[in-house]
Amino acid sequence: GAGVSQTPSNKVTEKGKYVELRCDPISGHTALYWYRQSLGQGPEFLIYFQGTGAADDSGLPNDRFFAVRPEGSVSTLKIQRTERGDSAVYLCASSLRRRGLAGGRSYNEQFFGPGTRLTVL
Amino acid sequence: AQSVSQHNHHVILSEAASLELGCNYSYGGTVNLFWYVQYPGQHLQLLLKYFSGDPLVKGIKGFEAEFIKSKFSFNLRKPSVQWSDTAEYFCAVRGSNTGKLIFGQGTTLQVKP
């Protein structure tokens, strides 16, 4: 089946501009995640959604970053007034929820998309 | 603070050599642990995972990892590497009731034919 898709694959913009990055999760996956990966580093968590709501947005670096998932499927990561330090690969992942220990809720493994490489000049 | 530390940044091995990549984490409470791999030009994919039960877990392509709770470790092993194992390997941890993954900085493995 189709995996996680992200568009565009590459985005070059100028400092101060606004950008939107799109993620299409695997069909039926209720959880969606955004990460950012800088060169030579591991992915860094930004935000994740369970359904339409943000379950944890503690990784968003500042108020220039915002993400939405209005219908519980596709998500858009929005970055205002871009800075050169925002240059990175932005990764999206999706997963199912599962029944965890003692009946609590947990999450299955995350499936990652190919990423969007953002370059801010 | 929640963190993952991968001891080796760059490992070079010859084919058929044995592999062990170290991973230690700092995280309170019950954890789930993962190893992801990124082959050249491809996206991240799951190698193996630990949720509960047997601390020795087996993944794809002959990889395995052992969760040692007392040492906060989840080292990755393979008895005999192949040239096709050349890739970047990431260890990751999360709490058992959250989706937020915390990754290590990655280890680049280069296998010489």
Side-chain angles (χ1 to χ4, degrees), chain A residues 95-109:
Chain A
S95 76
L96 291 167
R97 290 192 84 174
R98 63 192 284 271
R99 186 168 296 280
L101 297 174
R105 286 293 184 178
S106 183
Y107 295 86
N108 274 332
E109 64 267 26

Side-chain angles (χ1 to χ4, degrees), chain A residues 33 35 37 40-45 48 56 58 91 98 100-101 104-114, chain B residues 30 32 34 36 38 43-46 49 51-52 88 90 94-106:
Chain A
Y33 312 80
Y35 296 85
Q37 187 173 18
Q41 301 295 318
E44 174 193 8
F45 171 79
Y48 86 93
D56 185 343
S58 62
L91 299 171
R98 63 192 284 271
L101 297 174
R105 286 293 184 178
S106 183
Y107 295 86
N108 274 332
E109 64 267 26
Q110 298 174 23
F111 294 83
F112 282 81
Chain B
T30 305
N32 300 149
F34 305 83
Y36 279 86
Q38 188 166 25
H43 54 270
L44 276 168
Q45 55 186 283
L46 183 69
K49 64 188 178 190
F51 282 178
S52 63
E88 190 151 18
F90 295 95
R94 70 175 187 205
S96 59
N97 289 318
T98 176
K100 174 182 176 179
L101 273 176
I102 297 168
F103 284 85
Q105 68 270 43

Side-chain angles (χ1 to χ4, degrees), chain B residues 13-74:
Chain B
L13 295 173
S14 298
E15 276 194 314
S18 64
L19 170 72
E20 181 160 2
L21 300 183
C23 172
N24 284 89
Y25 66 92
S26 173
Y27 202 104
T30 305
V31 296
N32 300 149
L33 292 154
F34 305 83
W35 277 95
Y36 279 86
V37 61
Q38 188 166 25
Y39 297 103
Q42 298 186 26
H43 54 270
L44 276 168
Q45 55 186 283
L46 183 69
L47 203 52
L48 48 77
K49 64 188 178 190
Y50 171 81
F51 282 178
S52 63
D54 188 345
L56 183 63
V57 292
K58 296 191 183 300
I60 60 172
K61 303 187 180 185
F63 286 91
E64 65 178 31
E66 184 175 13
F67 171 45
I68 303 180
K69 189 175 180 180
S70 61
K71 295 185 177 180
F72 300 92
S73 71
F74 190 55

Side-chain angles (χ1 to χ4, degrees), chain A residues 28-52:
Chain A
H29 280 193
T30 57
L32 184 147
Y33 312 80
W34 285 100
Y35 296 85
R36 176 169 72 173
Q37 187 173 18
S38 300
L39 195 62
Q41 301 295 318
E44 174 193 8
F45 171 79
L46 296 176
I47 183 172
Y48 86 93
F49 293 86
Q50 175 52 44
T52 60

Side-chain angles (χ1 to χ4, degrees), chain B residues 81-93:
Chain B
V81 295
Q82 300 173 318
W83 177 77
S84 58
D85 293 325
T86 294
E88 190 151 18
Y89 293 81
F90 295 95
C91 181
V93 67

Side-chain angles (χ1 to χ4, degrees), chain A residues 14-105:
Chain A
E14 293 178 342
K15 180 175 178 294
K17 298 290 188 182
Y18 168 83
V19 297
E20 289 190 352
L21 311 179
R22 176 187 167 105
C23 173
D24 277 272
I26 292 171
S27 178
H29 280 193
T30 57
L32 184 147
Y33 312 80
W34 285 100
Y35 296 85
R36 176 169 72 173
Q37 187 173 18
S38 300
L39 195 62
Q41 301 295 318
E44 174 193 8
F45 171 79
L46 296 176
I47 183 172
Y48 86 93
F49 293 86
Q50 175 52 44
T52 60
D56 185 343
D57 64 358
S58 62
L60 294 177
N62 51 58
D63 62 6
R64 295 187 297 106
F65 288 75
F66 189 71
V68 295
R69 195 186 186 200
E71 298 178 357
S73 178
V74 170
S75 176
T76 305
L77 178 66
K78 308 180 181 193
I79 310 175
Q80 297 177 325
R81 305 183 304 280
T82 52
E83 299 177 357
R84 292 192 180 88
D86 298 335
S87 296
V89 176
Y90 288 80
L91 299 171
C92 178
S94 69
S95 76
L96 291 167
R97 290 192 84 174
R98 63 192 284 271
R99 186 168 296 280
L101 297 174
R105 286 293 184 178

